[in-house]
Amino acid sequence: IEDVTNGWVTMQLQTTAEEIRFEISNSLPQKPIVKDEVGGIGLDNLRRRLQLEYPDKHQLQITPEISSYHVILTLNRG
């Protein structure tokens, strides 16, 4: 069950002439959520789409921690 009372999300977007950087972090529930048979393909789909749309022009860093999840996506404009 998700913690709608104590859950949190932070987002930051930075742009320069060379790149766009999107950073997002979110809390994780204390008890793992059981996914159904359909779930769990979001990150694989994201990686495929980034490779198709921004080949060799992106970086995706995903850092799972004990109580949070942190992602940084950098898109190179060149």
Side-chain angles (χ1 to χ4, degrees):
I1 298 174
E2 294 187 48
D3 187 348
V4 295
T5 303
N6 297 311
W8 54 266
V9 174
T10 61
M11 293 180 266
Q12 184 176 19
L13 179 66
Q14 298 173 323
T15 62
T16 66
E18 294 82 27
E19 68 181 24
I20 299 170
R21 178 182 165 108
F22 182 66
E23 195 167 341
I24 186 165
S25 297
N26 63 273
S27 61
L28 292 175
Q30 291 180 356
K31 294 181 182 179
I33 298 172
V34 178
K35 295 181 182 179
D36 59 19
E37 294 177 15
V38 179
I41 62 169
L43 289 176
D44 290 338
N45 187 35
L46 173 63
R47 287 183 181 104
R48 279 194 299 270
R49 293 193 65 160
L50 286 169
Q51 190 58 39
L52 288 171
E53 297 291 328
Y54 302 96
D56 302 320
K57 293 184 178 182
H58 73 279
Q59 295 174 330
L60 179 64
Q61 297 172 272
I62 301 171
T63 309
E65 298 178 6
I66 293 171
S67 61
S68 64
Y69 206 72
H70 188 77
V71 177
I72 299 173
L73 173 61
T74 305
L75 303 174
N76 300 322
R77 293 186 172 198

